[in-house]
Amino acid sequence: MSTPTSPPPSSADTDDKKNTAPANVPLLNRPIDDLEGVGESRARIFRHLGVSALGDLLEYFPRTYLSESAERDIAELGAGEQIQTARGEVVAVDYLAGRPRQRFEATIEDESHHKLGLVWFNAAYLRSAIRPGMFIRVQGRVRFYRNMPQMAQPKWKEIEPITERIEQSHFRPIYPATARLQSDAIARIVEKNLDLALGAVDELFPAELLKKRKLMPRREAYRAIHRPVDMTDAMRARKRIVYDELMLMQLALGLSRRLRDGRIT
């Protein structure tokens, strides 16, 4: 689902690559432009974000997470921060060109004749994209206005009336992104290369310490921060990774003191 619809990526960004690193290059040092799903133009953007190798991609953590509900009837939608999903036939559209912001409005109606209002700002292009009589699936946060559910800036996709419903909820990562490389694209690239990177993640501490500190294994933490089951899973992963960073920082400070005192030459 996309709003607006992005132009198809260039062939440089869609060429699939085999996840086999050259024998003389450590796996986590594998260049970003040699990874699956990354072509020349995306590699340039990744480098601008500080991601130049597989190890950097592994350390490029989500800034937050979104919980997306399974598809619901419009009558079942409730106000809140969760991203909710619904579908219906477009029964009305309107474009308002006035200030302060132009907006395109649409109303969809489901099989039970319940209605959901939709609004997009600065989206004049939707006048030719969303038309009465078509069926669409939408995703967004729900608010109520005059007792009617409404989504602002929802993602949308045209569907057929017989298109299968989304039956499972999803919990997905949201990455720091740019206009040229959006979070969904980054998430797809991370997903394609995550298992490869996890194979190079070694444990730093003995099992006894992990049990005492109630920490998940290091490899599992990197899996969970990018591919969490839920928010609890993601927070446990963050706890482990922060613990590693603090311990390594303490080690570096200790070595610095020893060098300064002349105890290490």
Side-chain angles (χ1 to χ4, degrees), residues 118-132:
L118 310 169
V119 58
W120 293 268
F121 297 100
N122 300 319
Y125 69 94
L126 290 178
R127 289 181 291 179
S128 60
I130 298 179
R131 306 170 303 280

Side-chain angles (χ1 to χ4, degrees), residues 53-73:
L54 178 60
D56 299 324
L57 187 66
L58 184 65
E59 298 277 350
Y60 196 74
F61 300 140
R63 61 177 177 81
T64 190
Y65 300 89
L66 275 182
S67 175
E68 298 177 340
S69 75
E71 198 167 317
R72 298 172 176 172
D73 293 335

Side-chain angles (χ1 to χ4, degrees), residues 41-105:
S41 62
R42 281 182 175 168
R44 286 194 295 271
I45 301 170
F46 268 121
R47 291 191 192 99
H48 182 73
L49 295 172
V51 178
S52 59
L54 178 60
D56 299 324
L57 187 66
L58 184 65
E59 298 277 350
Y60 196 74
F61 300 140
R63 61 177 177 81
T64 190
Y65 300 89
L66 275 182
S67 175
E68 298 177 340
S69 75
E71 198 167 317
R72 298 172 176 172
D73 293 335
I74 292 175
E76 298 174 330
L77 299 176
E81 291 303 309
Q82 184 183 39
I83 302 298
Q84 299 178 70
T85 307
R87 70 167 66 193
E89 180 184 358
V90 178
V91 294
V93 296
D94 193 12
Y95 177 70
L96 299 116
R99 295 177 182 273
R101 286 192 293 177
Q102 302 171 352
R103 65 184 189 272
F104 178 83
E105 297 179 348

Side-chain angles (χ1 to χ4, degrees), residues 242-254:
V242 168
Y243 183 86
D244 287 0
E245 291 174 349
L246 291 174
M247 292 296 288
L248 292 172
M249 188 181 301
Q250 288 183 5
L251 177 62
L253 289 172

Side-chain angles (χ1 to χ4, degrees), residues 21-42:
N24 60 337
V25 177
L27 185 56
L28 292 181
N29 290 346
R30 183 172 178 176
I32 188 67
D33 54 0
D34 196 35
L35 302 184
E36 185 175 355
V38 182
E40 292 180 6
S41 62
R42 281 182 175 168

Side-chain angles (χ1 to χ4, degrees), residues 127-197:
R127 289 181 291 179
S128 60
I130 298 179
R131 306 170 303 280
M134 66 188 293
F135 285 80
I136 61 175
R137 179 190 287 137
V138 292
Q139 283 187 317
R141 293 182 176 89
V142 176
R143 300 287 184 270
F144 278 80
Y145 180 69
R146 295 179 180 174
N147 295 320
M148 180 177 174
Q150 186 176 80
M151 291 182 182
Q153 301 293 114
K155 291 184 177 181
W156 68 277
K157 181 180 181 180
E158 184 175 7
I159 60 172
E160 297 295 328
I162 59 172
T163 300
E164 291 186 4
R165 292 167 63 97
I166 297 175
E167 299 293 348
Q168 291 186 328
S169 298
H170 297 279
F171 188 77
R172 64 184 181 91
I174 304 298
Y175 290 90
T178 71
R180 295 177 59 202
L181 185 60
Q182 298 185 359
S183 175
D184 287 351
I186 295 173
R188 287 192 295 270
I189 292 167
V190 170
E191 180 62 29
K192 288 178 179 179
N193 294 279
L194 182 58
D195 290 333
L196 176 69

Side-chain angles (χ1 to χ4, degrees), residues 182-240:
Q182 298 185 359
S183 175
D184 287 351
I186 295 173
R188 287 192 295 270
I189 292 167
V190 170
E191 180 62 29
K192 288 178 179 179
N193 294 279
L194 182 58
D195 290 333
L196 176 69
L198 290 176
V201 175
D202 296 323
E203 185 53 71
L204 302 177
F205 306 114
E208 294 79 9
L209 177 63
L210 300 184
K211 183 177 180 180
K212 180 180 179 181
R213 300 294 185 190
K214 297 182 179 179
L215 299 171
M216 63 168 52
R218 188 164 181 256
R219 183 175 296 173
E220 178 66 9
Y222 277 97
R223 188 281 308 164
I225 204 161
H226 290 291
R227 196 189 284 158
V229 175
D230 52 28
M231 185 59 78
T232 299
D233 200 30
M235 291 302 100
R236 289 186 64 225
R238 285 188 183 275
K239 177 183 175 182
R240 169 61 205 267

